[in-house]
Amino acid sequence: QTSLSIWGWGSLGLVLFLVTFGPFAIFYFAFYILCFVGGGFVVTLLFGKSNSEKYLEQCEHSFLPCTSVGIPKCMEEMKREARPIKIDRRLTGANIIDEPLQQVIQFSLRDYVQYWYYTLSDDESFLLEIRQALQYALVQFSARSKETDWQPYFTTRLVDDFGTHLRVFRKAQQRIAEKGDQMKDQAEELVDTFFEVEVEMEKEVCRDLVCTSPKDEEGFLRDLCEVLLYILLPPGDFQNKIMRYFVREILSRGILLPLINQLSDPDYINQYVIWMVRFIMFKMNAHVNALLQCRLSITFPYQNINTIKNQINSLLYVIKVCDSRIQRLQSGKEIDTVKLAANFGKLCTVPLDHILVDNVALQFFMDYMQQTGGQAHLFFWMTVEGYRVTAQQQLEVLQSRQKDGKHQTNQTKGLLRAAAFGVYEQYLSEKASPRVNIDDNLVAKLAETLNHEDPTPEIFDDIQRKVYELMLRDERFYPSFKQNVLYVRMLAELDMLKDPSFRGSDDGEGESFNGSPTGSINL
């Protein structure tokens, strides 16, 4: 009965609601309820958010210190004026040593860092950090060197190592001589035999990979620089891998490797020996007239007006070169070297045969040949000259020993054959790189002579003569060299550069060279 009354009253109320408000009133009622609930929720959210923000602001000002915003701080730092950089140039305490070391550091940074770093940034702080790290390492190296007792090393260990090297080399030569003429490539066989003997004499030590493989040599130098940086750098800089690897590559590939290559270059050693011999010969010169003439030319240079004029012209040429260099660097454009040479009017003509026998002139001609890709021809000519002198000396010694009853014919001929084969393989064979381009018939005739006859000092004369004519007449070499700025610099170095205002006759070929570079001697 109760449920029936509830359903009855409910139905009656629904009917009266629909009759009074219409059939859509139920939808309006549901919408009103939804809006009431949503409005209450929004009011609660806004009220809570405002109160929360006020509370957090009170907490921030109460417990946390004020901090500057990151981006405005960076902008402020960037707008500040750059402070002047001060560098302490003292390294070892000796100015005569510190200045060359500073130049080495400056050139290393210029050649291996600045050329790419300035394309990224103009900030000098990075370069300063690298320079300071290098200077710190040099200072530590200098301090440790002063604490080291070098006398036992130079008087005992270094002498023993050098003596061991010579003993290994002689023993390897003996083994090659015992094998006789059975080997074709004695140069490579000598290298292999040398390291085999080194293993036998020093047991567990063998340096064949480091000495014969450029890749292993670079790896060894990197490891060596790594050890040196561990000893010399501060711990903070050494732990920085990017910094450590960067400095390591500069030291290994920019300093140590070029230094080793230069010291092991036979041409560099020969030139240094020649310079020393000439210096000793000058000190031992017994010709009083020559010594007096040299002394007077140094003590009273004003007696020779032409000499002073030539020296002034040389200085004027240096000024012109400096100005042209500055102009090229500032404008970023190359200057026509032919126009630079034309400013000096007609120049002295130095014959090619005199250039090849003068050390100063030969150095300039060698630089030009390397620029044009013809260095193989020049190096072949020079190598043959050295071979001829060596072969003549060896044969003279052989003849004197044969007169004394000593027989070493096979060994001497084997050494000459190895030297001749070395020249052939390096410049004339198919695998030579770069190869001397000469008549194939002459090369084939030379190869047949080397295989069937004993080598003589004149075995390369025909090819050397052809190479000389090629360098003399080919427009790429000597004729173009006379129009190059290197030729002008050579004349200035030889003290043969004329006054730019002086012009020769129109029908002449200019002043010629008489074969005696007295200007170079006076200089």
Side-chain angles (χ1 to χ4, degrees):
Q1 292 178 356
T2 305
S3 61
L4 288 175
S5 61
I6 293 175
W7 279 103
W9 286 107
S11 300
L12 179 62
L14 179 62
V15 170
L16 293 176
F17 180 81
L18 293 175
V19 171
T20 304
F21 297 102
F24 295 99
I26 188 171
F27 298 104
Y28 294 131
F29 183 74
F31 177 73
Y32 294 153
I33 295 175
L34 181 63
C35 289
F36 177 78
V37 175
F41 179 77
V42 171
V43 171
T44 304
L45 179 63
L46 293 177
F47 178 78
K49 179 182 178 182
S50 61
N51 286 344
S52 300
E53 289 177 351
K54 292 180 180 180
Y55 180 75
L56 290 176
E57 186 177 358
Q58 292 176 0
C59 294
E60 181 179 1
H61 290 289
S62 299
F63 304 104
L64 298 178
C66 297
T67 58
S68 59
V69 183
I71 295 179
K73 184 68 175 179
C74 293
M75 296 296 295
E76 182 182 355
E77 291 290 338
M78 294 173 65
K79 290 179 180 179
R80 290 183 180 179
E81 295 184 359
R83 292 173 296 179
I85 300 175
K86 296 182 179 180
I87 301 176
D88 188 2
R89 303 180 65 86
R90 294 174 298 177
L91 298 175
T92 63
N95 186 56
I96 194 173
I97 300 177
D98 291 348
E99 288 303 322
L101 288 179
Q102 288 291 346
Q103 291 182 2
V104 171
I105 295 176
Q106 182 63 34
F107 293 156
S108 300
L109 292 176
R110 181 198 65 187
D111 296 338
Y112 297 97
V113 182
Q114 292 179 358
Y115 80 95
W116 61 264
Y117 176 72
Y118 282 140
T119 62
L120 304 177
S121 174
D122 294 333
D123 189 9
E124 299 285 343
S125 58
F126 176 72
L127 300 176
L128 177 62
E129 291 292 336
I130 295 180
R131 190 184 190 97
Q132 288 179 342
L134 291 175
Q135 291 190 171
Y136 181 86
L138 289 175
V139 170
Q140 293 296 319
F141 181 80
S142 174
R144 287 177 174 267
S145 299
K146 293 177 182 178
E147 298 173 358
T148 304
D149 187 7
W150 294 103
Q151 183 176 356
Y153 175 78
F154 285 110
T155 59
T156 304
R157 183 174 177 180
L158 184 62
V159 176
D160 292 342
D161 291 342
F162 185 72
T164 303
H165 180 82
L166 291 181
R167 287 193 294 270
V168 172
F169 182 73
R170 290 172 181 171
K171 194 170 183 179
Q173 280 186 322
Q174 291 178 0
R175 291 191 180 181
I176 295 295
E178 292 174 357
K179 295 180 181 180
D181 299 336
Q182 299 176 0
M183 297 163 297
K184 294 291 183 181
D185 194 350
Q186 293 190 1
E188 295 183 1
E189 186 66 23
L190 179 60
V191 174
D192 297 337
T193 306
F194 176 85
F195 290 110
E196 292 176 359
V197 176
E198 183 185 39
V199 174
E200 295 176 1
M201 295 185 64
E202 301 192 18
K203 304 304 179 184
E204 299 180 355
V205 178
C206 185
R207 306 175 182 87
D208 54 346
L209 293 179
V210 177
C211 297
T212 58
S213 173
K215 183 178 180 180
D216 292 318
E217 181 185 8
E218 293 179 3
F220 175 77
L221 292 177
R222 289 192 183 97
D223 295 339
L224 177 62
C225 293
E226 193 92 10
V227 175
L228 291 176
L229 292 177
Y230 174 77
I231 297 174
L232 302 176
L233 284 183
D237 291 339
F238 184 80
Q239 296 299 329
N240 187 345
K241 290 186 178 181
I242 297 178
M243 180 72 174
R244 184 172 78 244
Y245 294 160
F246 202 81
V247 178
R248 184 192 68 182
E249 291 299 317
I250 292 177
L251 291 176
S252 61
R253 296 181 59 85
I255 298 177
L256 293 181
L257 188 61
L259 178 63
I260 293 173
N261 291 336
Q262 184 178 15
L263 294 179
S264 58
D265 185 9
D267 182 67
Y268 173 80
I269 298 175
N270 293 336
Q271 292 290 341
Y272 188 77
V273 171
I274 291 172
W275 179 82
M276 291 295 296
V277 169
R278 288 187 173 182
F279 180 76
I280 294 174
M281 291 176 63
F282 176 77
K283 294 188 68 175
M284 299 176 62
N285 196 338
H287 297 283
V288 178
N289 294 332
L291 294 174
L292 286 176
Q293 182 179 2
C294 180
R295 183 182 183 281
L296 291 174
S297 65
I298 296 174
T299 307
F300 304 101
Y302 54 85
Q303 294 180 357
N304 191 344
I305 302 300
N306 293 327
T307 301
I308 297 176
K309 184 181 294 184
N310 290 333
Q311 292 176 354
I312 293 175
N313 290 336
S314 299
L315 295 176
L316 291 175
Y317 168 75
V318 174
I319 293 175
K320 284 182 174 292
V321 173
C322 293
D323 293 338
S324 63
R325 179 67 173 168
I326 293 172
Q327 181 180 355
R328 186 180 65 84
L329 292 176
Q330 290 179 347
S331 62
K333 300 179 180 179
E334 291 291 339
I335 296 176
D336 191 356
T337 56
V338 176
K339 293 182 179 178
L340 179 63
N343 293 333
F344 295 95
K346 294 191 175 182
L347 304 175
C348 298
T349 301
V350 183
L352 179 60
D353 53 347
H354 293 296
I355 292 178
L356 295 176
V357 298
D358 184 83
N359 290 334
V360 177
L362 180 61
Q363 185 62 47
F364 285 95
F365 186 59
M366 188 182 303
D367 293 340
Y368 174 78
M369 294 293 283
Q370 289 178 344
Q371 293 178 5
T372 58
Q375 67 272 18
H377 300 79
L378 179 59
F379 290 162
F380 171 77
W381 189 92
M382 297 168 60
T383 304
V384 170
E385 287 292 310
Y387 167 82
R388 182 186 297 108
V389 174
T390 303
Q392 290 174 351
Q393 294 177 351
Q394 292 290 336
L395 292 179
E396 291 176 358
V397 172
L398 177 62
Q399 293 176 359
S400 63
R401 289 183 176 179
Q402 287 178 346
K403 293 180 180 179
D404 297 337
K406 299 178 181 180
H407 299 282
Q408 292 184 344
T409 305
N410 292 333
Q411 181 178 0
T412 302
K413 291 183 178 181
L415 293 175
L416 291 179
R417 183 180 297 276
F421 265 108
V423 176
Y424 175 80
E425 292 291 335
Q426 184 176 0
Y427 296 103
L428 301 174
S429 65
E430 294 294 335
K431 61 181 181 180
S433 179
R435 184 173 183 267
V436 175
N437 296 324
I438 206 67
D439 189 2
D440 293 337
N441 294 329
L442 291 176
V443 177
K445 182 180 178 181
L446 174 64
E448 184 178 359
T449 303
L450 289 174
N451 290 325
H452 298 89
E453 299 179 10
D454 293 332
T456 61
E458 299 80 15
I459 192 171
F460 293 101
D461 282 3
D462 293 338
I463 297 182
Q464 187 190 28
R465 192 177 301 109
K466 290 291 183 180
V467 170
Y468 177 83
E469 294 177 357
L470 179 65
M471 292 190 298
L472 179 64
R473 305 185 187 282
D474 196 316
E475 289 295 331
R476 297 173 298 168
F477 302 141
Y478 177 68
S480 297
F481 173 65
K482 292 189 296 183
Q483 305 298 325
N484 192 273
V485 69
L486 288 175
Y487 186 79
V488 183
R489 295 177 182 175
M490 180 193 73
L491 295 180
E493 189 70 20
L494 294 174
D495 202 11
M496 297 170 57
L497 197 62
K498 297 188 297 183
D499 190 344
S501 61
F502 175 79
R503 301 285 177 173
S505 59
D506 295 336
D507 57 348
E509 291 295 331
E511 188 176 334
S512 62
F513 180 54
N514 59 7
S516 177
T518 56
S520 177
I521 295 176
N522 291 332
L523 181 61

